[in-house]
Amino acid sequence: MADHHHHEHHHHDEHEHHHEGGQRHRLVLIVVSALLLAGAVLIEHLGALNTWQLLLVYLVPYLLVGHETLHEAWEGICEGDMFNEHFLMAVATLGALAIGFLPGAENQFAEAVFVMLFFQVGELFEGYAEGKSRQSITHLMNIRPDVARVEASVEGAVAKELMVSPDDVEVGSIIVVKPGEKIPLDGIVVEGRSALNTVALTGESMPRQVAEGDEVVSGCVNLSGMLRVRTTKVFGESTVSKIIKLVESAGEHKSKSEAFITRFARIYTPVVVVLALLLAAVPTLWNAVQGAPFNVQWIYRALMFLVVSCPCALVISVPLTFFGGIGGASRRGILVKGANYLDVLAKVRTVVFDKTGTLTEGRFAVSAVHPDACNEHQLLHLAAHVEHFSTHPVGAALRDAFPDEATDGCPVSEVEEVAGKGVKARVGDNVLSVGNTKMMDAVGAKWHHCDNDEGTVIHVAIDGDYAGHIVISDRMKDDSAEAVARLREMGVKKMVMLTGDRTDVAARVARSVGVDEYHAELMPDEKVELVGNEQETPLAFVGDGINDAPVLARADVGVAMGGLGSDAAIEAADVVLMDDRPTKIATAIAIARRTLAIARQNVAFAIGVKVLVLVLAALGLATMWMAVFADVGVTVLAVLNAMRALSYKPSR
């Protein structure tokens, strides 16, 4: 198992090295090619070579910097998906190389190499913006149990425990799970009672009480008692394995949103190529019909048209815009893992929230105290004493509410946890019982509670007399309601909350935050299913736990809470909010929309200038270098515009 873990990790690192290496490799290629291009221009100026020899000199930097693009273009043609940006670059640059061989035309070799260089610089920015690959799920290993203790009955002797890998446990075996251990396989409790922490799987904040005959699922942590469990599934079929598999496969289901520039090239390329062909063919055919001599002029213009229409400014400024947008977001503590996610974020119309840890703090706190026989301070004081050593989240909440009970000199003795009921202890001269209604019935206390208590009610009795109750609940994050309101203002149509928690808790949170609908008591695979069904509009899912990892991977754009969130969630997500504030989702969408708007301005501006130059070229008024200037000038302006994406000033 350790070996498996190690292997995964190694593979992950290798992938990252490969990515960074690719960027460095491309940078070196660009620099070397630029130097070779400068050398070639120098050789041409010395004027000692004929056109063919010059072509060979220029082909060195051209192929060096452009081989990848030509290869991609060829692959596109083979796969029948030819109108991509690579094809456009290939046609334009090969056109520029060919112009030099037309009678009476100047060669445009330098042009061709220059254009390819530009394209690679654009790709470089795009590569940086794309960021690291996100498909490694080594961190899911932290819910994967490493060992199982299996009871092996030896003839006539006492059963002894064997430590084995969960993979090797057969269905029907008896396994022993001690307090503090993870349950390795799904099964049924045959002996013992305990509380299970199911947060990793369901996000449900209260521990689940189990006793003989109850089903337990793998991945939960056993909190209090020892359990003997008869396994009902092999490890591969157990809940934990299923979650890991869900994450692995969810990535493949994701609707592949293409980068902006690719979608743009799909329309632009065929239009340009068809126009160039028409420009070459129509006048030439017309001349032939008229009986006029064949004139190379129109073919020259068509090739020039291709070179001019080469979208350099776009190819460099659009990726740069996204790069800027990602940088601007990260300054605000929003980590976007790739340019295409900005693209999707800008279009999000449905936002689905997980509850625990996303809209709520995921930590319990005392929300109300209702004393009967004493004052509030005393009631809390006594309850905190009794719960001081409890592993239960309730105990933690009471300790937080009354932090100095261990040092105030009250003697606490005979602490006894009563499974499924609560805790009894002797504090000073009194016997205190702190727990649920079953505990009160057991000691004969007449309990009651208020109708508006929202949360978990903890009752307290002193020597069997009812002393009052304390309400504990998961606190809302301060900005949850504001986050929902801001998203609604921004035109997000639908907001849904999903949770593994109980329905009454979910209803309360949904009401106070103002989401449109909620679904409660869900297992991780049900969440994936619900999100899968919602996908007519681009959908963002916001979550923070291991149980959210599959949904984060499945949604069009998965947003993880990075501050407290589990590693698995951060790995599987496309966007990470570093400070856990739900309002940051609205900020992220605003940044994405602004980035896209800047990219569109650049496209419109670049195409506008191109069309102008093309009209001039078709009328024979433009020269090749005017075209180049238009391209370079436009690129510089577009790049300056792209830089605005870095600084995002929120509207409020």
Side-chain angles (χ1 to χ4, degrees), residues 134 136-137 247 254 337 549-550 552-553 558 567-574:
R134 34 174 289 285
S136 124
I137 23 175
V247 175
K254 206 186 203 91
K337 293 190 186 175
L552 285 165
D567 293 350
I570 292 169
E571 277 288 321
D574 311 310

Side-chain angles (χ1 to χ4, degrees), residues 386 414-418 422-426 432-434 439 443:
V386 174
E414 299 170 31
V415 179
E416 178 197 352
E417 292 220 16
V418 186
V423 185
K424 271 179 160 168
R426 181 176 281 280
L432 252 79
S433 313
V434 179
M439 181 70 140
V443 296

Side-chain angles (χ1 to χ4, degrees), residues 28-101:
V28 170
L29 268 187
I30 290 172
V31 173
V32 173
S33 305
L35 293 171
L36 286 172
L37 173 61
V41 172
L42 203 69
I43 291 172
E44 185 178 350
H45 275 297
L46 296 174
L49 302 178
N50 68 23
T51 311
W52 281 106
Q53 289 164 326
L54 262 181
L55 175 65
L56 291 176
V57 172
Y58 275 109
L59 273 177
V60 177
Y62 176 76
L63 291 173
L64 189 64
V65 77
H67 66 93
E68 203 179 302
T69 305
L70 294 171
H71 177 72
E72 295 270 348
W74 177 247
E75 273 191 351
I77 294 169
C78 295
E79 288 164 14
D81 169 30
M82 61 187 274
F83 289 125
N84 53 27
E85 65 267 52
H86 301 285
F87 178 73
L88 183 59
M89 301 313 283
V91 170
T93 52
L94 291 172
L97 290 176
I99 288 179
F101 294 98

Side-chain angles (χ1 to χ4, degrees), residues 327-346:
S330 68
R331 286 182 183 177
R332 301 207 130 48
I334 301 163
L335 194 78
V336 182
K337 293 190 186 175
N340 47 335
Y341 302 122
L342 273 184
D343 214 355
V344 188
L345 260 179

Side-chain angles (χ1 to χ4, degrees), residues 317-516:
S317 73
V318 171
L320 193 59
T321 306
F322 281 103
F323 189 48
I326 288 174
S330 68
R331 286 182 183 177
R332 301 207 130 48
I334 301 163
L335 194 78
V336 182
K337 293 190 186 175
N340 47 335
Y341 302 122
L342 273 184
D343 214 355
V344 188
L345 260 179
K347 303 188 181 74
V348 162
R349 288 288 173 274
T350 308
V351 178
V352 180
F353 296 95
D354 176 55
K355 176 184 78 73
T356 314
T358 303
L359 294 172
T360 66
E361 296 276 359
R363 291 197 298 270
F364 282 101
V366 170
S367 54
V369 182
H370 300 289
D372 269 28
C374 52
N375 65 26
E376 284 191 16
H377 178 83
Q378 266 179 310
L379 187 64
L380 259 183
H381 172 105
L382 292 168
H385 269 303
V386 174
E387 290 275 359
H388 182 61
F389 300 103
S390 166
T391 51
H392 204 283
V394 166
L398 288 168
R399 282 201 296 281
D400 293 344
F402 205 93
D404 41 8
E405 83 283 8
T407 53
D408 62 4
C410 278
V412 179
S413 57
E414 299 170 31
V415 179
E416 178 197 352
E417 292 220 16
V418 186
K421 294 180 185 170
V423 185
K424 271 179 160 168
R426 181 176 281 280
V427 178
D429 304 329
N430 308 97
V431 173
L432 252 79
S433 313
V434 179
N436 56 17
T437 52
K438 287 186 193 153
M439 181 70 140
M440 295 299 104
D441 295 342
V443 296
K446 296 272 175 286
W447 57 272
H448 64 87
H449 64 79
C450 312
D451 296 336
N452 59 356
D453 287 340
E454 292 186 327
T456 304
V457 180
I458 310 292
H459 298 276
V460 181
I462 303 174
D463 294 328
D465 297 329
Y466 192 61
H469 57 268
I470 297 165
V471 184
I472 288 179
S473 58
D474 187 1
R475 280 218 311 272
M476 299 288 302
K477 286 191 184 171
D478 320 336
D479 62 338
S480 291
E482 187 198 335
V484 170
R486 271 182 64 182
L487 287 169
R488 197 158 270 135
E489 268 170 44
M490 293 173 72
V492 173
K493 289 201 183 70
K494 188 172 176 191
M495 279 169 279
V496 186
M497 184 183 85
L498 307 180
T499 180
D501 219 336
R502 301 200 319 269
T503 309
D504 53 333
V505 179
R508 183 183 93 232
V509 174
R511 251 202 327 277
S512 62
V513 178
V515 292
D516 303 317

Side-chain angles (χ1 to χ4, degrees), residues 142-154:
N142 63 6
I143 57 163
R144 195 188 150 120
D146 297 333
V147 288
R149 301 167 184 267
V150 180
E151 285 189 0
S153 51
V154 186

